[in-house]
Each structure stands twice: as structure tokens, then as C-alpha cells.
Amino acid sequence: MIRNSKIYDIKGISHYSSLQNYSDYQPIQVGNFSIDTEGEFVQCDSSAFPRLNSLKLPLDLNEGYDPSYIDQAYHDETTFPQSEKVLKWIHKSKIGYQSLSDADVITQRGLLKDIGYTNHNNFKNPWKFEVCKLNKKLYMRKPDNEGDDGDAWCIQNTYWGRKFESSILNQKPGIKSSYTMLKGRIGNKNVLLSAEIDAISSKGKFIEIKTCFPNKFRNKVPFTWLQSYLGRVDTLYFGMKDKHGLITSEPSRVPMAHVVGKYLKVQEANAMFGFLHDVIDCIFTSIPDANETWVLEYKGSNNLTLTKSPEKYLPIWYEEFLNSTEENELIGKVKTLRLKHPAK
């Protein structure tokens, strides 16, 4: 078994575009949860999701900014990471217990977005994730946040994004953040993933909220597409800011159905999912079935590496939960959610 080595050579986009059609990923919504203002896990329905308010223009995104600003969402992710929230949902809800039975991969959409976008990132931004395979199921998570939030410009832009969200969202009292749980198929694997919800429309459709510089719009839409498509988002909602942090025009709305073909080539969209499919299959065959932590890393080169870490991956309480019921009992006790696989 490998201990620290290169496990995967990255190929060209044309190779991956033939492995899976992006439209084959048809996620179904299997549950929701929220985190309240006290940091506690709460079961919820879609009524807990934020709604859009009308935007009062002009909007100065610098209002209230302090150079010592700390992104609370970044801090919260360190103390209560999304990966652990997913395990709590599986443990605490009947539908979570049920959804685990036929899942092959348990993860979060932001992680899949970073992996899937690897071949399309001109800046070759590195990434690093932790993985574990137990009971023939692959768990994938982001490692604990390391270091600070970035340089001064990065911190200010993060504040601008949070300011824009707080200016247009009507959040339910007592709720800090809300998530939906989705199950979709990537390659031959059923993937159970969490996605934080920015907002929901009056028709129950998910909305992804971003800020953007006008000259970066055509690049930002494709980058935002993968994360949003994984999370079953219906509409992209962009606040167009200038270099001083001012928004003077109505936000731009982009239906997700219009992105592929207009902003993103079909071949590129297919390649993102083909790459995800291939990498997930590679991890499955490369690590043992045990509660071990392996670090999957991309350093900006043309390969991925896998390194064994000494820590166990899953917390004791979750492993005890898994061991309390045999797999055949789990399937027998609770009716399994089966996916309708798209026709080829």
C-alpha cells in the first residue's frame, strides 16, 4: 500500500470530456439542516433558507469595514467544519441514516468544485483534501483551515462579499447558515454532498450570490457554474462592483441553464465531471478500507499525490454509530433512496 507518492497523472481536457456528460449528474434533494446563532445543529426545512430583499443603490461595500476584520464564516468552518456537520446530519436524522446506505462518496460541493476545476484553472491554484474509505464508502473533506484569510486585498474582498450578502438577504432570526443535502451520480458512484444555500426564490429555486468586477464577468461565470451546478442552483446573482467597492447598478441574473453554450463549452463542462469521476475512482482503488486519513494534494503540477497521515479520520462517536448496525440491517430497516440513472 502506498505511503507517500504520486498516484495520478493529469491528462488533457479532451480525455476527460468523453468520460461523462455533465447533464448525467441529476442530483435529488434528500434533506436540509441549519446552524443557529449559538453554533448548534438544527434540523430544518426550506423555510429556514434566506430570501432576497430588494437592493438599495448605490451600495458602498466598504461601510463598516475594519482592516482587522475576521471572516466569521471562515472562523466557524474551523471550529465546526462542514464535513462534521454532514456526519451530524447522517447521525441525527432518519433520512440521513437512510441516505447513507447506498452512498459511495460523502463530501461537500466546494471540495468537488476545486477538484473538478483543476484542469481549467489558469493560475494552477493548489489544493489539499483529506480522504478516508470505510465500509466501502469514501469520505472527503477539507482539512482544518490553516494560517490567516489571505493578504489585505483578499480580506477586503471577502468583506465586500459578506457585506453584499447581508445587504440583500432576509435571514430567518436565530439562523446563521443553512444547508441542503443532495445525492447525485458522478461516474458509477452515488455521491452524497452538502451545499450551503445563499438564498431561495419564491418558487423554491436555489440562488447563488456573488460579487464581481465587470471586466472579470465572463471568467467568473464559468468558475461559479461548477459549484452551483453541483448544488442544484437555478440562478446566479452577481453584484457588479467597481475597484472602490461600490455597486451602482442592479445585480445581474444569469440562469444556470444559459451558462453552458454561452459562457462555457459543453466539452469543458463534461471534462469537469469526467475529471471528478476519474479522480474519485483512483482514490477508491488507492487507499485501504480503514478509518485512516490520507491527504490528496495538487501542487500546481501535472499530477496528484497521496500521503498517509497518522490521525484517524472519523470521530469515535461516528464510528461507534456505524458499528452499531450491520450494513444489511441498515438496508433492511430503512427504505433506500435509489437514484434514477439518466438514460445513456
Side-chain angles (χ1 to χ4, degrees), residues 130-132 141 290-294 308-316 319:
E130 294 175 344
V131 298
C132 167
R141 70 185 179 198
N291 188 7
E292 299 175 348
T293 299
W294 292 81
K308 177 72 164 57
S309 176
E311 296 85 11
K312 285 193 172 184
Y313 183 101
L314 296 168
I316 294 175
E319 192 171 16

Side-chain angles (χ1 to χ4, degrees), residues 24-179:
D24 287 350
Y25 174 76
Q26 296 287 338
I28 58 174
Q29 190 174 1
V30 295
N32 307 300
F33 65 88
S34 293
I35 303 301
D36 66 19
T37 51
E38 301 298 320
E40 296 297 321
F41 179 95
V42 181
Q43 298 285 353
C44 73
D45 56 27
S46 60
S47 66
F49 297 160
R51 264 60 176 178
L52 285 177
N53 284 328
S54 58
L55 182 62
K56 296 180 180 179
L57 296 172
L59 174 63
D60 184 358
L61 299 176
N62 294 290
E63 183 179 351
Y65 178 67
D66 183 333
S68 61
Y69 166 75
I70 296 176
D71 183 14
Q72 189 60 43
Y74 179 93
H75 173 73
D76 292 344
E77 185 63 18
T78 300
T79 56
F80 191 5
Q82 192 172 153
S83 58
E84 187 173 335
K85 295 168 188 170
V86 172
L87 300 186
K88 288 283 188 183
W89 176 78
I90 291 171
H91 176 252
K92 287 181 173 291
S93 67
K94 181 178 179 180
I95 196 68
Y97 186 68
Q98 175 181 345
S99 299
L100 179 66
S101 62
D102 69 340
D104 301 301
V105 182
I106 298 92
T107 187
Q108 57 206 78
R109 69 164 179 168
L111 179 154
L112 295 180
K113 178 265 294 182
D114 286 346
I115 295 176
Y117 200 71
T118 301
N119 244 351
H120 307 263
N121 188 338
N122 294 329
F123 298 101
K124 303 294 182 182
N125 298 111
W127 48 255
K128 180 167 61 175
F129 303 120
E130 294 175 344
V131 298
C132 167
K133 185 172 67 176
L134 187 65
N135 297 340
K136 300 180 181 179
K137 301 181 188 298
L138 181 66
Y139 294 83
M140 306 174 72
R141 70 185 179 198
K142 295 184 176 183
D144 292 340
N145 289 324
E146 300 171 353
D148 56 24
D149 297 335
D151 59 23
W153 176 242
C154 180
I155 293 172
Q156 186 175 40
N157 269 276
T158 298
Y159 178 84
W160 286 356
R162 301 298 182 197
K163 180 68 174 180
F164 180 60
E165 289 181 357
S166 66
S167 300
I168 62 170
L169 292 180
N170 180 18
Q171 180 68 272
K172 186 175 181 179
I175 298 297
K176 181 181 294 184
S177 57
S178 299
Y179 302 81

Side-chain angles (χ1 to χ4, degrees), residues 68-337:
S68 61
Y69 166 75
I70 296 176
D71 183 14
Q72 189 60 43
Y74 179 93
H75 173 73
D76 292 344
E77 185 63 18
T78 300
T79 56
F80 191 5
Q82 192 172 153
S83 58
E84 187 173 335
K85 295 168 188 170
V86 172
L87 300 186
K88 288 283 188 183
W89 176 78
I90 291 171
H91 176 252
K92 287 181 173 291
S93 67
K94 181 178 179 180
I95 196 68
Y97 186 68
Q98 175 181 345
S99 299
L100 179 66
S101 62
D102 69 340
D104 301 301
V105 182
I106 298 92
T107 187
Q108 57 206 78
R109 69 164 179 168
L111 179 154
L112 295 180
K113 178 265 294 182
D114 286 346
I115 295 176
Y117 200 71
T118 301
N119 244 351
H120 307 263
N121 188 338
N122 294 329
F123 298 101
K124 303 294 182 182
N125 298 111
W127 48 255
K128 180 167 61 175
F129 303 120
E130 294 175 344
V131 298
C132 167
K133 185 172 67 176
L134 187 65
N135 297 340
K136 300 180 181 179
K137 301 181 188 298
L138 181 66
Y139 294 83
M140 306 174 72
R141 70 185 179 198
K142 295 184 176 183
D144 292 340
N145 289 324
E146 300 171 353
D148 56 24
D149 297 335
D151 59 23
W153 176 242
C154 180
I155 293 172
Q156 186 175 40
N157 269 276
T158 298
Y159 178 84
W160 286 356
R162 301 298 182 197
K163 180 68 174 180
F164 180 60
E165 289 181 357
S166 66
S167 300
I168 62 170
L169 292 180
N170 180 18
Q171 180 68 272
K172 186 175 181 179
I175 298 297
K176 181 181 294 184
S177 57
S178 299
Y179 302 81
T180 192
M181 294 297 302
L182 302 165
K183 187 181 283 187
R185 197 157 178 86
I186 297 179
N188 60 353
K189 302 292 191 299
N190 289 339
V191 179
L192 178 65
L193 62 91
S194 62
E196 185 172 3
I197 301 303
D198 288 346
I200 191 171
S201 71
S202 58
K203 296 181 179 180
K205 303 293 187 180
F206 297 149
I207 301 169
E208 188 79 15
I209 296 172
K210 301 290 183 183
T211 61
C212 184
F213 296 108
N215 65 333
K216 302 291 186 182
F217 185 70
R218 291 200 67 86
N219 291 328
K220 184 133 187 181
V221 172
F223 179 76
T224 307
W225 174 84
L226 180 57
Q227 174 181 339
S228 301
Y229 193 78
L230 286 164
R232 218 176 88 168
V233 167
D234 181 74
T235 303
L236 306 179
Y237 188 87
F238 291 96
M240 307 304 288
K241 62 191 176 185
D242 66 17
K243 64 181 181 180
H244 304 294
L246 295 176
I247 294 178
T248 58
S249 60
E250 288 294 326
S252 298
R253 295 174 182 257
V254 180
M256 281 289 290
H258 294 176
V259 175
V260 177
K262 183 175 181 179
Y263 300 95
L264 182 67
K265 295 178 181 178
V266 173
Q267 180 192 38
E268 293 175 326
N270 288 343
M272 292 179 188
F273 277 89
F275 185 71
L276 277 171
H277 158 40
D278 217 31
V279 169
I280 289 172
D281 277 359
C282 178
I283 301 170
F284 254 96
T285 59
S286 298
I287 62 177
D289 196 300
N291 188 7
E292 299 175 348
T293 299
W294 292 81
V295 179
L296 178 71
E297 189 167 9
Y298 170 68
K299 299 180 180 179
S301 60
N302 292 321
N303 56 68
L304 306 180
T305 61
L306 200 57
T307 306
K308 177 72 164 57
S309 176
E311 296 85 11
K312 285 193 172 184
Y313 183 101
L314 296 168
I316 294 175
W317 63 265
Y318 184 78
E319 192 171 16
E320 290 176 346
F321 161 69
L322 292 181
N323 293 335
S324 65
T325 306
E326 296 296 330
E327 184 70 12
N328 60 342
E329 293 181 30
L330 174 63
I331 296 173
K333 285 182 178 179
V334 187
K335 183 180 179 182
T336 302
L337 282 179

